[in-house]
Amino acid sequence: MGTASRQVGVPPGQVQEEQKVAEEEAVNDTAVSEEGDEEPVAKCRSIAWGAGAAAASYGTLLAVSGGDSQLTEDVVDLLHSAYTSSVSLSGIVSMERNAAHSVALPPRLARGQGPVVRMFCHSLGYFFADVGLIAVQGGIFRRWPDLSAGRLAHHTIQTCANLPCIFRTKPSEALALRSVLCIAYFAEFSNLFLRASNLLRRRQGPTRLRHAVNWALLISFGASRLVNFAGAIRI
């Protein structure tokens, strides 16, 4: 009486380990959901805020640069990459060992109102703003921006990745999805050097500096996209 029964033939150590895993998963679910997840309308506002901030930044820089759309796109995308990769890195270094996964975001970062999910929303808004830019420039003014097809394909894939992570609220699923996407977002780090390389090339920056940035781009691409994605898949 008062003790948990176990299946005949199952070693006591295995039963204890399974009970421990179940208890840790229950703790994770409770911790992620104890303050609840943001209402969908609040997340939609964050997406809209991201889109508005991107559009305002683009318009301001375009005016300041005298209509240089390539310079403006490089600078705005560099700012987006700096923001998203810094939040991603903060989440990665804060990850904890987890019973269901090898590592996962701590509950305070996995919640819908936390900085990681807020970044997902803002970033998605940025992608929506870029889709709007492509639609206006190409559809109305018949001047399609560079790499329009590739950008639209990227934004479509990213939208399919972000939406479940933002709006899925079942604690165990949300924790897994948000942890993996947080790691994957560190791929934006290499974009910092890509955009810097573009800026230096068009402005005829010092050759040695351009070579250094290109090497940083190559190394960061391998670290933040190839090695990083392999780590994300293991979760």
Side-chain angles (χ1 to χ4, degrees), residues 65-234:
S65 67
D68 190 336
S69 59
Q70 289 187 326
L71 171 65
T72 299
E73 288 181 16
D74 280 334
V75 173
V76 172
D77 196 49
L78 189 149
L79 293 173
H80 169 261
S81 296
Y83 166 55
T84 54
S85 60
S86 62
V87 175
S88 169
L89 181 60
S90 176
I92 290 171
V93 300
S94 300
M95 288 195 176
E96 305 170 340
R97 295 188 64 82
N98 186 271
H101 318 287
S102 54
V103 292
L105 288 168
R108 62 184 175 82
L109 295 181
R111 296 188 182 106
Q113 58 268 54
V116 172
V117 177
R118 191 64 50 84
M119 179 269 286
F120 294 161
C121 294
H122 293 161
S123 180
L124 186 59
Y126 169 77
F127 295 138
F128 287 168
D130 194 43
V131 171
L133 173 67
I134 293 171
V136 170
Q137 289 189 341
I140 297 178
F141 296 106
R142 302 299 177 183
R143 294 195 304 268
W144 294 98
D146 292 340
L147 304 175
S148 296
R151 284 157 63 177
L152 290 174
H154 169 271
H155 300 341
T156 299
I157 295 171
Q158 198 67 49
T159 298
C160 293
N162 281 36
L163 286 177
C165 296
I166 293 170
F167 292 103
R168 190 74 59 86
T169 57
K170 183 178 178 181
S172 58
E173 294 178 356
L175 179 63
L177 290 171
R178 292 168 182 175
S179 297
V180 171
L181 187 60
C182 179
I183 295 174
Y185 249 100
F186 191 61
E188 290 287 342
F189 181 68
S190 67
N191 227 30
L192 294 172
F193 300 103
L194 174 62
R195 293 301 181 173
S197 177
N198 290 345
L199 292 169
L200 288 170
R201 184 180 67 254
R202 282 200 294 271
R203 302 299 171 184
Q204 295 298 308
T207 301
R208 295 180 67 177
L209 178 58
R210 288 160 57 189
H211 287 167
V213 170
N214 288 338
W215 273 108
L217 170 60
L218 181 62
I219 294 170
S220 65
F221 184 91
S224 67
R225 294 181 184 266
L226 305 180
V227 176
N228 188 53
F229 278 145
I233 292 172
R234 291 186 62 184

